Amino acid sequence: MLRLPNFEVRTPERLDEAVALLAELGEGARVIAGGTDLVPNMKHELFTPRVLVSLARLPELRGIGDAGPGWLRIGAMTSLADVAADARVEQHAPALAQAAGLVAGPQLRTMGTLGGNVLLDTRCQWYNQTYFWREALGFCLKKDGTLCHVVEGGSKCVAAASNDTAPALMTVRAELVFAGPDGRRVTPIDDLWIADGIANKKCGRDEILVEVRLPHSGSGHRGAYGKLRDRGSIDFPLLGVAVKLELNTEDAVADADVVLTALQARPVRIKRASELLRGVRIGTEAFLAAARGVAEQAHKQAHPMPNIPGDADWRRAMVPVYVRRTLEAAATRAGPVHAV
Amino acid sequence: MRVLNLLINGDRVEVAAPEHWTLLEVLRYELGLTGSKQGCDKGDCGACTVLLDGKPVLACLTLAALCEGRAVTTIEGLLPAHVKAGGTGPDPVQAAFDECGALQCGFCQPGMMLSARALLDRNACPTRAEIKDALAGNLCRCTGYTQIFEAVELAIARRIGIEPAPRAWEAQRMPADEAERRAREFAEARERQKEPR
């Protein structure tokens, strides 16, 4: 049995009230959305806030709709199940719909929110453990300790970014809207990340993610998500691959993007993906060859750490396989790639 | 402590519980509804699945303080709801699990049946793939899942009034006359081997 430490729950009904509450309480408060990441972490005493500020009653954070011409907005409190099932998300960002539909299992997708998945804490098998377990090893860099158990003598935390939706949002150049004490700020999701496992996001403790905005896509947009995990039903990714292809009227690639997750502290964009695929028509031998080229490049860039389940060498060997399969799936609208 | 007003299995319940308790703790330790199981207690196994406003969620990760005014269905509520709706006996999902032997230790069964109930409420005739998806968050370490899927299919077949597909153990069972024929052939072959050439 895992008991939660003591805390108090606040349920503000206005966004400015919630922001003010966070500013007033400072370090002693944390935001709770779906709770599917926060609650297990609190049960493991990774966080022991005095107050939890719930976003459940803030209407601005809900729903999927238009955000001005050419943009789709998804409220941060929209459940992953709703994101996965929404026809507009499927139309404008198929990789996002597929990624949201592969997060954990059905109950957790009903509870968990898009905002929560974007702001998911990094994961490491030396960190996501009970207090008793962590104490027995003298703790670690990320929490309460000074040693890294993954990299001998390491001074930088390498806990892995494990959010499925983040790479998918990066491929469609999504923007995040935060509300804070100084008003709202809009940031491209690419600018959110820091390559540091302790805190891999530039987001203040008194800021609340309000919504995610996606640009509308044209008829040539193709996207897919590939996910490697041990148990197909419930696990975090051992590797996540998000792919975007923009096709011209001749079905040739005009632009492409490939972003991987679960390899290091932040999602990784594969270099030269667009360059390698540009001008190649889908469904041809040349496309398969170009996809293999991108897969090779991904293999060069991928250096998984032995800090999440699955042998690190095997996870690295799976990188080119999943990149190639996900590119092919995007081209033929056959995603997601999920073998288990 | 916080006083909560919940709609548990159709009954309005007022219950006082510590602010930091989960819905599962309130159900089990305040209300005595121990049908929802405490398994991993961190959101992996699905044994604590309950329906919150009709949707399956994990009670071990749901803060009770955030359930104010919401409708919770636990395994204890399935039979009364079925009877109230004009049925007799247990919910058809429960009856099908019983008939198909869709359990061994039984620990996962309440969560499994609630996930199945929620699926049948939103989809009258799901396929085997849809059943697998809907039950993906409920782990069973005994049955190998086959009888569980067959139980859900039996409940569907009953509801839409068709003959259920043969169960795996029925399909694999050899008819008695076939078994006898093979035994006789085998015995004859051995006899032939013994005979001097």
Side-chain angles (χ1 to χ4, degrees):
Chain A
M1 185 191 288
L2 293 166
R3 305 306 294 265
L4 282 165
N6 272 309
F7 55 80
E8 189 190 321
V9 180
R10 302 278 188 90
T11 48
E13 301 198 348
R14 291 205 330 270
L15 186 55
D16 54 354
E17 201 186 319
V19 170
L21 202 53
L22 286 176
E24 177 198 325
L25 296 164
E27 292 285 305
R30 281 196 86 95
V31 164
I32 180 164
T36 54
D37 185 41
L38 183 72
V39 174
N41 285 352
M42 285 177 62
K43 286 187 170 186
H44 287 163
E45 294 181 49
L46 298 170
F47 309 121
T48 47
R50 283 182 296 111
V51 179
L52 285 183
V53 178
S54 166
L55 307 182
R57 295 198 188 160
L58 303 179
E60 298 103 310
L61 272 61
R62 297 209 165 265
I64 301 175
D66 285 329
W71 288 83
L72 182 72
R73 75 169 280 281
I74 308 175
M77 283 293 283
T78 310
S79 75
L80 290 161
D82 288 346
V83 172
D86 191 89
R88 290 159 295 182
V89 177
E90 176 61 40
Q91 181 195 343
H92 295 297
L96 174 63
Q98 292 169 20
L102 289 180
V103 176
Q107 296 98 323
L108 291 168
R109 287 195 293 275
T110 303
M111 301 166 72
T113 64
L114 179 63
N117 193 255
V118 170
L119 300 180
L120 188 83
D121 193 16
T122 53
R123 296 185 63 82
C124 174
Q125 54 194 9
W126 307 95
Y127 168 71
N128 296 99
Q129 303 287 354
T130 59
Y131 184 88
F132 175 82
W133 196 103
R134 291 182 294 116
E135 186 192 29
L137 274 174
F139 302 107
C140 79
L141 269 187
K142 185 161 159 74
K143 178 69 181 163
D144 300 329
T146 52
L147 271 177
C148 181
H149 302 289
V150 182
V151 182
E152 205 178 329
S155 58
K156 197 167 187 184
C157 176
V158 292
S162 302
N163 27 13
D164 291 294
T165 59
L169 287 167
M170 285 170 72
T171 61
V172 295
R173 308 277 166 181
E175 294 184 345
L176 309 176
V177 181
F178 287 95
D182 305 324
R184 293 198 176 200
R185 75 178 168 100
V186 181
T187 180
I189 189 166
D190 280 10
D191 296 347
L192 182 71
W193 312 107
I194 310 167
D196 178 2
I198 293 177
N200 74 339
K201 291 170 273 301
K202 288 178 222 157
C203 171
R205 288 191 78 99
D206 50 2
E207 286 189 308
I208 293 173
L209 177 60
V210 179
E211 65 189 35
V212 176
R213 290 183 187 165
L214 320 172
H216 283 181
S217 64
S219 59
H221 179 87
R222 300 279 190 279
Y225 186 71
K227 180 167 180 173
L228 174 70
R229 50 180 172 174
D230 274 342
R231 294 167 295 184
S233 50
I234 57 174
D235 282 331
F236 279 97
L238 303 183
L239 167 68
V241 181
V243 160
K244 176 196 73 170
L245 299 174
E246 295 290 347
L247 307 181
N248 63 19
T249 46
E250 270 91 55
D251 273 353
V253 178
D255 187 24
D257 198 7
V258 180
V259 182
L260 310 188
T261 193
L263 293 174
Q264 46 179 275
R266 53 158 295 164
V268 187
R269 173 163 281 126
I270 299 309
K271 294 171 189 161
R272 302 199 301 123
S274 192
E275 187 188 316
L276 288 163
L277 286 159
R278 195 173 298 136
V280 180
R281 276 185 67 179
I282 58 168
T284 60
E285 278 299 315
F287 181 81
L288 297 182
R292 278 195 294 274
V294 178
E296 267 171 43
Q297 174 62 31
H299 187 249
K300 275 185 212 155
Q301 272 179 254
H303 302 287
M305 294 284 177
N307 61 346
I308 56 174
D311 178 70
D313 290 339
W314 176 68
R315 282 164 49 217
R316 184 161 188 234
M318 284 297 108
V319 168
V321 177
Y322 270 70
V323 167
R324 182 175 49 73
R325 287 184 188 170
T326 312
L327 278 166
E328 289 170 21
T332 54
R333 298 181 195 260
V337 176
H338 187 233
V340 279
Chain B
M1 295 292 272
R2 177 185 279 240
V3 176
L4 293 164
N5 292 289
L6 304 170
L7 191 65
I8 308 273
N9 297 328
D11 295 331
R12 293 204 176 280
V13 173
E14 193 179 62
V15 56
E19 185 101 358
H20 64 281
W21 274 27
T22 61
L23 177 60
L24 183 63
E25 287 167 324
V26 171
L27 290 172
R28 289 180 63 88
Y29 308 124
E30 284 292 339
L31 300 172
L33 297 171
T34 52
S36 307
K37 299 296 179 233
Q38 200 158 14
C40 68
D41 216 8
K42 61 190 184 72
D44 290 338
C45 73
C48 64
T49 303
V50 298
L51 306 185
L52 192 59
D53 294 333
K55 290 182 178 172
V57 300
L58 301 177
C60 76
L61 299 186
T62 305
L63 298 185
L66 297 177
C67 293
E68 177 68 30
R70 302 184 70 179
V72 181
T73 306
T74 69
I75 193 66
E76 290 89 346
L78 284 192
L79 185 147
H82 181 60
V83 171
K84 203 174 167 189
T88 50
D91 186 282
V93 171
Q94 290 174 303
F97 269 65
D98 181 14
E99 282 173 50
C100 292
L103 78 157
Q104 283 176 36
C105 82
F107 199 80
C108 71
Q109 208 188 6
M112 210 53 101
M113 292 196 289
L114 284 165
S115 284
R117 178 75 266 158
L119 170 68
L120 298 194
D121 285 346
R122 64 172 189 271
N123 183 348
C125 190
T127 62
R128 173 68 70 104
E130 286 168 334
I131 297 169
K132 279 187 177 180
D133 276 353
L135 301 185
N138 296 86
L139 303 189
C140 172
R141 299 291 80 160
C142 304
T143 63
Y145 299 101
T146 305
Q147 295 98 317
I148 292 171
F149 298 142
E150 287 172 354
V152 180
E153 285 170 347
L154 178 64
I156 298 162
R158 292 251 169 86
R159 178 152 86 176
I160 59 179
I162 59 166
E163 192 66 23
R167 296 172 208 162
W169 63 268
E170 289 172 335
Q172 287 162 13
R173 189 175 56 180
M174 194 179 290
D177 52 347
E178 169 70 9
E180 201 181 321
R181 190 184 63 76
R182 288 197 192 183
R184 194 171 295 128
E185 265 179 23
F186 181 73
E188 283 167 6
R190 282 194 62 174
E191 285 305 315
R192 276 199 301 277
Q193 270 182 0
K194 281 184 199 163
E195 282 168 16
R197 297 189 177 190

